[in-house]
Amino acid sequence: RVVQDLLIDNPGRVDWEEALEVLCELVLSGGIAASRKTAAGGRLQPVERLPAWLAVGLSHHIDPALKARDRRIFLNCHKTGRVPAIADILKKFSLPSGRSTEKAVCTMAVAWLLGLPDSAGRWERIRDRLAAGETISCDWLLKEVPGCTTVEDLERKWQGRPEDERFVISDPGLLFPDALDAVKEQLVIRQGEYGVPADTNMPAVLALKDLIAMKRQEWIQPFCRAKAVGIGIAAVGGSSEVRDVASAYCGFLELLGGAESDSSLNSSLVAADAKLNKLATLVREREDYVDGVERRLAGTNVTVSAVPNESIDSLDRTPLQKYIDAVEQRLGVQHGEAAGAVPASEGANVR
C-alpha cells in the first residue's frame, strides 16, 4: 500500500494557499503512483513529473475563494489579450509561488476540463496517462473536447472560455471589481445592440448622455426597456451597493423613455454617475487594502498588526470597516492572530 503524510510543523505560520497546493500535489502523486503500482504487478512506481498546472489548478478549483479570485484575474487577462494558448499551459510543470496570473490561468484550464461532459471519465484517463509516463498534450486532448478535430479547434474552444466565465456568479452579494465592471460595460451603447439603429450618421459607440438629445426618436423607448433589463442582469450577482448603482441608471433610463426634460435627465444621470464613481473608488480602496495585507504576509515572520502602512491608514476607514473586519478575521484564522505566512517549504514537510 501507499502511505502518505503531510506534516505541517507550524500551522499558524504556513501559507494556507501553498499548503493546499502541496496537499493536492501529494494526493495526485499518490493516486498516480498507486495506479502505476497496479499496472506494474505490485511494484511501486514513483511519479517523476507531475504537471504543476494540474495540481495547482485543482487545488484552487476546489477552494471557492481561490477560484473566485482566479476567475477575476483570468477575466482581466482576457480584457488585455493575455490569455495564453492551452498548448503553453499544458507545458507548465512548475509555477511561481504566491498570487500569480499563471496560477489563475491554470485554475481556469482545470475548471474547463472538469466542466466538459464525462469529467469523471476524463479525470481517470488523465490519471492513467500520467501513470503511463505520458504527458497531457493538445493532440491527446482533441478526443476529450467535443467538437474538436484539430489543434486550432481546441485553441478556439479555450480562447472562448472567458466569455462563458463572464456570466458565472462566484459569490453572490459580495463586492468584487468584476461585478461593477459588468454594470459599467452595460453603460456603453453600441450600434445594433438593444435596438440601437445601425445608422452611419451616428457614432459607433455612444455614452448615455448622448441619448438625451435623441430622446424623442422612435427607438428610444424600446431601447430603454431592453437596456434596463441588461443592466439589471449585470448587477444580479453583485452586492447591494452594485445593485444600487444599477438602479440609479435604470431610473435614468425610465426618465429617458418618458421623454422628460433635459434638466431632469441630466440631474438623474449626474446622480447615477456620482454613485458609480463613489463605488469605484471604494472598490479600489478595498483592493489596495487586501493587496497590502497580502504583501505584508508574503514575507517571513511578518506580524500583521505591527506593520504600519501609511497609504492604508490614511483611508477613510468608516465605509471599509465591515469589509476589513471580515478580511482580518479570515486572515487571523488562516495565518494566526499575530503571525505572518512563511513559504510552505519552511512550514510544511511532505513525506
Side-chain angles (χ1 to χ4, degrees), residues 21-33:
E21 292 170 4
V22 172
L23 174 62
C24 277
E25 181 178 357
L26 182 65
V27 171
L28 284 174
S29 298
I32 294 170

Side-chain angles (χ1 to χ4, degrees), residues 6-28:
L6 173 62
L7 305 179
I8 302 179
D9 297 329
N10 299 291
R13 296 176 57 218
V14 74
D15 187 307
W16 67 278
E17 181 177 326
E18 292 192 15
L20 182 60
E21 292 170 4
V22 172
L23 174 62
C24 277
E25 181 178 357
L26 182 65
V27 171
L28 284 174

Side-chain angles (χ1 to χ4, degrees), residues 142 145-154:
L142 284 178
V145 181
C148 293
T149 57
T150 65
V151 173
E152 288 74 18
D153 292 337
L154 187 68

